[in-house]
């Protein structure tokens, strides 16, 4: 992922708080792994933190989007779009990049960041906690679905039974 975590983390942590920063990082990392597992080739193993970093970027995009009427945040959105396009081009040319994990992390981070960035603390907490629970539930459901799909491959039981 083209952004360096140390450049982005202070913005997100400063805006949303340390606890939400950790939640965004961890849940985005989980859902990045889920996306890689659920939608990637059966024979591929992926590791790394880039999906979680993509989640932090997604939260940064959500925060910027809500402030897009101000010039600096509109510029941040244009920069984010440029980074996403560059990453997509690089992913097409370099097969070792797990773009599925990046997309999964980016979406998860965006959703959580959007939900956390509410005007009232009580509304923020309940919306965000509910959103995190739904995202984790979707992740668990995708893992169960993909695992059942893999186990139904002819010959699976003979190889791994």
């Amino acid at each position: 992922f083209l952004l360096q975590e140390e450049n982005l983390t202070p913005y997100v942590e400063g805006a949303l708080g340390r606890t939400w920063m950790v939640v965004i990082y961890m849940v985005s990392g989980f859902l990045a792994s889920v996306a890689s597992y659920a939608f990637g080739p059966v024979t591929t193993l992926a590791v790394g933190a880039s999906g979680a970093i993509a989640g932090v970027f997604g939260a940064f995009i959500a925060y910027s989007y809500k402030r897009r009427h101000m010039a600096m945040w509109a510029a941040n959105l244009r920069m984010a779009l440029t980074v996403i396009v560059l990453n997509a081009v690089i992913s097409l040319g370099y097969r070792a990049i797990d773009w599925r994990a990046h997309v999964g992390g980016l979406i998860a981070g965006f959703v959580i960041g959007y939900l956390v960035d509410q005007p009232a603390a009580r509304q923020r907490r309940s919306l965000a906690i509910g959103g995190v629970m739904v995202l984790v539930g979707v992740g668990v459901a995708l893992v169960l679905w993909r695992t059942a799909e893999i186990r139904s491959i002819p010959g699976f039981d003979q190889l791994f039974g």
Side-chain angles (χ1 to χ4, degrees), residues 4 11 23 25 29 33 47 53-54 64 69 90 97 102-103 118 120 123-124 131 137-138 151 158 160:
Q4 294 180 344
Y11 287 109
V23 170
Y25 190 86
S33 296
V47 295
I53 295 167
S64 298
H69 59 280
I90 290 170
I97 295 175
H102 292 174
V103 170
Q118 299 299 321
Q123 183 182 12
R124 173 186 340 165
V138 167
R151 288 181 181 225
Q158 289 77 24
F160 302 103

Side-chain angles (χ1 to χ4, degrees), residues 5-104:
E5 180 181 11
E6 61 269 9
N7 295 337
L8 204 53
T9 302
Y11 287 109
V12 175
E13 186 175 339
L16 303 177
R18 180 170 288 158
T19 300
W20 284 113
M21 174 63 204
V22 171
V23 170
I24 289 165
Y25 190 86
M26 298 300 289
V27 173
S28 295
F30 167 67
L31 288 168
S33 296
V34 167
S36 178
Y37 175 68
F39 303 113
V42 175
T43 57
T44 301
L45 175 66
V47 295
S50 60
I53 295 167
V56 174
F57 186 51
F60 176 78
I61 292 169
Y63 189 84
S64 298
Y65 178 76
K66 285 194 166 186
R67 289 153 183 82
R68 66 191 179 277
H69 59 280
M70 294 183 274
M72 182 179 97
W73 298 106
N76 283 341
L77 283 174
R78 287 189 300 275
M79 177 272 306
L81 180 61
T82 302
V83 169
I84 290 170
V85 169
L86 287 171
N87 275 284
V89 169
I90 290 170
S91 294
L92 291 173
Y94 189 62
R95 299 280 184 217
I97 295 175
D98 189 356
W99 63 268
R100 293 166 192 86
H102 292 174
V103 170

Side-chain angles (χ1 to χ4, degrees), residues 139-157:
V140 169
L142 284 170
V143 167
L144 293 173
W145 163 76
R146 179 62 166 181
T147 301
E149 185 178 83
I150 290 170
R151 288 181 181 225
S152 71
I153 294 172
F156 178 85
D157 288 336

